[in-house]
Amino acid sequence: MVKAIKIDNLKYSYDERSLFSDFNLDIDAGQWVALVGHNGSGKSTLAKLILGLLVAEQGDIDVFDERLTVETVHHVRSKIGMVFQNPDNQFVGATVADDVAFGLENIQVESSEMPQKIDNALTIVGMQEFKNREPHTLSGGQKQRVALASVLALQPKIIILDEATAMLDPDGRATVMETLQKLKKQFGKELTLVTITHDMDEATLADRVVVINDGQKILDGTPAEVFSQRKALHENGLELPFANELAFHLNEKPNKYMDERELIQWLSTLNK
Ligand SMILES: Nc1ncnc2c1ncn2[C@@H]1O[C@H](COP(=O)(O)OP(=O)(O)OP(=O)(O)O)[C@@H](O)[C@H]1O
């Protein structure tokens, strides 16, 4: 199995404070991995280490069999697209199309090939009809889909989304997650997705969920495996996805008929 990302024996500290020590993680090509953990657990640091924005004190990071070093960092980075949390910090172009063009210009794509590449990328994320719009006139979810298009145009093998839906309203979140599901279908093994998130409902969409805390891997498995570990998740400050939490409580539901009012009252006591 081809490994998109292989992390061996990683060690990293911020000012004497050890965050990762002997951390290992392999991600198969084409896999969608949700990296979850509460605030400060080390998720964004891990993304920065993979991108070579931070340098590990010890250990190896390989991206599609290429070892990350000072010499290879630019080449390794070209295989990875990043989408960040704040949709407003990601635009450089005056229009949506200019924005997608910017990255293509940076990698010296011929200007004659540009319109087709821009249209393709925007079509994949369902934003083609907005190509002449000014980015600030878009909703949060639309902005994040444009950010995804800008990344996709560069044909990365891996896309890392760091809390890319955290600032969006529920509709925006839903459209971004639908877009990711569509990408997964369309690109299959050609695209590896890493979604860094607090949102457990989003994590259920991934192929695999890796829970980290204090730089340690706490749980690692399919969503069904990880979300059956309610106690371990709670101990690490995390909740179950809503549907799993509800199923857990329904199992424990008082074994009696409830009318609608009683049911609503009982539901409102969950998670308290
Ligand atoms: N530049 C830095 N200097 C010192 N400590 C840092 C720095 N950046 C992050 N940290 C600390 O490292 C730990 C991990 O931070 P990181 O941002 O990787 O966590 P995270 O899981 O992504 O958190 P969040 O979900 O809040 O974004 C935190 O305790 C944080 O305070």
Side-chain angles (χ1 to χ4, degrees):
M1 180 66 81
V2 182
K3 298 289 174 207
I5 300 175
K6 188 164 173 25
I7 301 175
D8 282 321
N9 191 21
L10 180 76
K11 182 170 161 46
Y12 187 78
S13 317
Y14 281 115
D15 318 315
E16 316 276 293
R17 197 189 136 229
S18 169
L19 185 58
F20 291 104
S21 56
D22 196 17
F23 182 84
N24 301 287
L25 179 68
D26 283 4
I27 297 179
D28 292 337
Q31 204 168 40
W32 177 353
V33 174
L35 197 59
V36 303
H38 67 67
N39 287 331
S41 54
K43 307 178 299 291
S44 299
T45 303
L46 194 58
K48 288 179 190 155
L49 286 161
I50 294 168
L51 282 168
L53 296 170
L54 295 173
V55 180
E57 284 158 47
Q58 199 180 295
D60 296 317
I61 298 177
D62 295 322
V63 177
F64 283 95
D65 288 332
E66 185 175 16
R67 176 75 31 98
L68 180 65
T69 65
V70 178
E71 288 78 32
T72 63
V73 65
H74 289 293
H75 192 251
V76 167
R77 227 177 259 170
S78 71
K79 300 178 201 176
I80 308 174
M82 229 11 240
V83 178
F84 296 96
Q85 182 171 17
N86 189 340
D88 292 320
N89 287 349
Q90 306 195 52
F91 290 103
V92 280
T95 65
V96 164
D98 286 348
D99 204 74
V100 181
F102 182 79
L104 293 169
E105 280 160 11
N106 270 345
I107 59 164
Q108 275 129 32
V109 167
E110 294 279 329
S111 52
S112 58
E113 291 175 26
M114 209 74 103
Q116 185 66 48
K117 284 188 184 285
I118 294 169
D119 276 357
N120 283 349
L122 287 171
T123 303
I124 296 170
V125 301
M127 289 297 293
Q128 208 274 345
E129 64 188 287
F130 295 89
K131 72 175 178 182
N132 296 320
R133 284 275 284 271
E134 292 174 37
H136 71 88
T137 65
L138 302 176
S139 71
Q142 290 170 334
K143 285 177 184 166
Q144 289 302 60
R145 278 150 64 204
V146 173
L148 252 178
S150 299
V151 159
L152 276 171
L154 306 176
Q155 297 180 297
K157 288 163 164 283
I158 303 171
I159 300 183
I160 302 177
L161 296 103
D162 190 354
E163 301 280 6
T165 61
M167 294 175 75
L168 307 183
D169 62 21
D171 272 357
R173 271 181 201 193
T175 60
V176 171
M177 295 318 286
E178 276 161 24
T179 306
L180 293 182
Q181 286 174 290
K182 196 173 147 224
L183 289 185
K184 186 81 203 329
K185 271 211 187 101
Q186 185 164 345
F187 289 93
K189 293 236 172 297
E190 301 302 310
L191 183 65
T192 305
L193 288 176
V194 180
T195 45
I196 296 176
T197 183
H198 282 97
D199 187 315
M200 296 301 179
D201 290 299
E202 289 184 7
T204 59
L205 300 175
D207 302 316
R208 175 178 167 201
V209 179
V210 175
V211 180
I212 65 170
N213 192 13
D214 282 340
Q216 301 279 339
K217 225 176 352 172
I218 305 295
L219 296 168
D220 183 354
T222 62
E225 286 163 353
V226 167
F227 295 129
S228 64
Q229 304 291 318
R230 184 171 183 270
K231 190 160 170 275
L233 287 166
H234 278 201
E235 281 167 5
N236 287 284
L238 297 165
E239 299 291 337
L240 286 181
F242 178 72
N244 298 61
E245 187 69 27
L246 186 58
F248 174 84
H249 287 285
L250 283 172
N251 268 331
E252 296 208 317
K253 188 169 83 61
N255 193 13
K256 72 174 185 88
Y257 172 79
M258 290 188 198
D259 64 23
E260 196 181 334
R261 188 186 53 80
E262 286 172 318
L263 190 61
I264 290 170
Q265 195 178 12
W266 173 75
L267 284 172
S268 73
T269 64
L270 302 185
N271 278 337
K272 280 193 181 152

